[in-house]
Amino acid sequence: MEIKVASRPLLKRRGNVPCGGETLIKFSGKFLETRTDGKTIPGTLFLGLGSEKELTLDKIRQAMGKAATTIREAGGTKIAAPLLETKFPSDKGGKGGVSVSDIAQAMVEGVILALYQFNLYKTDPDLDKNEIKELTLLVTDRSKKASVLKGALHGQWIANAVNSARTLCNLPGNVLTPSRMEQEALRLRKEYPISVSVLERSDAEALGMGAYCGVARGTAEPPKFIILEYKGGKGKPIALIGKSVTFDSGGISLKPAENMEQMKYDMSGGAAVLGAMKVAAQMKLPLHIVGILPATDNMPGGKAMHPGDIVKTLSGKTVEVINTDAEGRLCLADAITYSLRYKPYAIIDLATLTGACVVALGQHAIALFGNNAKLIEAISLASEKTGEKVWPMPVWDEYYSQIKSDVADLKNTGGRPAGSITAALFLKQFVTDVPWVHLDIAGVAWNGDKPRPYTPKGSTGAGVRLLVQYLIDLAGK
Ligand code: BES
Ligand code: MN
Ligand code: ZN
């Protein structure tokens, strides 16, 4: 989609509807209300944003998403939209509040995110054929053009990265294997100043990654422990770790058949890290970032781990594997320990880690855990700006007895109570004293319900926007 910025004359306002002529139409302007009136003003879509006092960037994103899909359904191919030049009392915009550049970014994101479709495997050529080819943002104040263009470009980079992450997660397990994730990482190396190295099964075994290799035992697909490094700045790196289980069958502790097909998105964390690193490179952020994707299938093959097996993690700690379906924390434990080699300034991990997180928060919030108030605060601020909601959860030591093993240092499950917390507390054992945040994205990574304004069904690409915003804020300091 081509994105342009053009000037427009200042229109007179008539009630809630800005219009040039004497035409009056019935339109209340409530949030997400849309109305096309082909007779009076052909080709015009009226889009409700609700009360000005309650306007937020995410409402703009949603409204533009709704407009874009409505226009596509009506057969339109081009959109021109006036840039909102208003104040945002309900947005905590951080330093300097919400700028025109932020508004342009949100508008572009809304459109690109909403128009996403996953139809690589549809052979019927009539399906969803219509495409929006052009989006023009109209500004009244010429002096704002440059910042609007900048915001639009950022919005384009970010939304395209989210959509790429969505595609990776929507791809089925027979296509999106650990080797394919490796290829995706290598593609970034071609286009951007990002270096990539990959540990094969034998390398990971030789290093002593007994937990990650334990998970990978049951699959014939070669596991790939993928490390990306972007050196846009000097100093200690930020470590971004993404759970990358390309299919989670549960292993010997096999999952029930119902909804098991969805477990192709168990690599959503890894996809988010790839997307965020790509955008960081596009924006040339002056940061040092290390991305780690411990990719593997979790399958019940002949060599698979048995429940009761004890594995030795890279850290030296031993883990009794009570349930082979609690594989994410095993992969992440070794990835966290591995990241410590880089002496990171902070570790952020993203993982579709627990079903308990879906029970606790449903589809609309990421569970946020961490050991450092400043880092938690920074992530929360990025969350407010992006509309990717996070909700803080405790990782208190009171829960530790649930993951203490009789025969090893730790067990990989803590029973049903507080399932997300005990999973986070398990990870915490490997973090040492580095500032760390764990984002459980199990609930938000997949939209199994109706499409939302800018979130179609299937993978949501969760985490990309949140990570990018965090990185932008960090770079701006
Ligand atoms: N990938 C799943 C978690 C998950 C469940 C993500 C539903 C998205 C939707 C994870 O590997 C898992 O199976 N967790 C188990 C842990 C349990 C065995 C302690 C779970 O949550 O049931
Ligand atoms: Mn599992
Ligand atoms: Zn899993």
Side-chain angles (χ1 to χ4, degrees), residues 79-359:
I79 304 175
L83 188 97
L84 269 140
E85 293 163 54
T86 181
K87 290 212 174 80
F88 292 80
S90 48
D91 249 313
K92 292 187 193 140
K95 260 194 289 178
V98 175
S99 63
V100 279
S101 157
D102 293 334
I103 297 170
Q105 183 186 324
M107 289 175 76
V108 170
E109 284 177 359
V111 170
I112 297 179
L113 292 174
L115 294 176
Y116 174 80
Q117 302 185 75
F118 181 71
N119 51 17
L120 287 172
Y121 295 95
K122 298 221 183 183
T123 52
D124 182 346
D126 279 341
L127 276 166
D128 313 317
K129 210 166 71 178
N130 188 32
E131 232 188 280
I132 307 277
K133 298 207 171 72
E134 194 181 292
L135 169 66
T136 309
L137 301 182
L138 302 169
V139 293
T140 54
D141 182 350
R142 284 179 151 269
S143 69
K144 287 180 184 162
K145 254 187 171 177
S147 19
V148 170
L149 266 173
K150 183 186 141 223
L153 181 64
H154 284 189
Q156 207 172 0
W157 282 336
I158 293 170
N160 285 336
V162 174
N163 286 349
S164 304
R166 286 172 173 177
T167 294
L168 295 185
C169 303
N170 284 328
L171 283 171
N174 61 338
V175 175
L176 201 282
T177 56
S179 304
R180 173 67 186 270
M181 285 208 96
E182 173 188 35
Q183 282 174 24
E184 296 293 325
L186 293 174
R187 248 185 34 193
L188 288 185
R189 172 166 78 179
K190 257 196 196 154
E191 291 172 40
Y192 304 99
I194 291 175
S195 60
V196 176
S197 54
V198 178
L199 304 178
E200 306 293 335
R201 191 192 292 271
S202 53
D203 303 323
E205 278 169 1
L207 275 174
M209 295 186 175
Y212 165 68
C213 292
V215 175
R217 281 183 67 87
T219 177
E221 272 304 330
K224 304 279 179 178
F225 191 99
I226 305 162
I227 305 130
L228 303 100
E229 190 166 7
Y230 166 71
K231 273 190 174 161
K234 294 194 185 107
K236 288 179 167 186
I238 304 289
L240 302 178
I241 303 179
K243 176 174 173 181
S244 301
V245 173
T246 47
F247 188 79
D248 181 11
S249 71
I252 294 299
S253 314
L254 195 65
K255 287 180 180 296
E258 200 183 345
N259 294 331
M260 202 210 269
E261 77 285 354
Q262 287 182 3
M263 280 300 118
K264 65 180 183 179
Y265 80 85
D266 215 16
M267 32 54 71
S268 296
V273 170
L274 286 178
M277 290 194 71
K278 179 176 172 172
V279 179
Q282 285 175 315
M283 291 186 175
K284 301 193 169 70
L285 294 183
L287 297 172
H288 182 188
I289 308 170
V290 172
I292 300 182
L293 279 58
T296 179
D297 262 359
N298 183 24
M299 293 289 283
K303 290 185 181 173
M305 282 192 300
H306 324 98
D309 281 3
I310 296 175
V311 295
K312 187 166 185 184
T313 63
L314 183 60
S315 72
K317 287 190 163 68
T318 54
V319 179
E320 181 189 9
V321 178
I322 302 294
N323 189 318
T324 63
D325 196 12
E327 84 296 341
R329 64 198 76 183
L330 295 173
C331 299
L332 290 176
D334 281 344
I336 288 169
T337 304
Y338 191 83
S339 78
L340 298 176
R341 300 179 163 214
Y342 292 86
K343 305 212 178 329
Y345 154 84
I347 300 173
I348 300 173
D349 81 74
L350 290 90
T352 45
L353 201 62
T354 62
C357 178
V358 191
V359 174

Side-chain angles (χ1 to χ4, degrees), residues 15-36:
N16 277 330
V17 182
C19 69
E22 287 307 307
T23 322
L24 290 170
I25 64 163
K26 251 196 185 162
F27 185 70
S28 76
K30 78 169 199 279
F31 181 52
L32 293 183
E33 178 184 359
T34 53
R35 192 186 158 96
T36 46

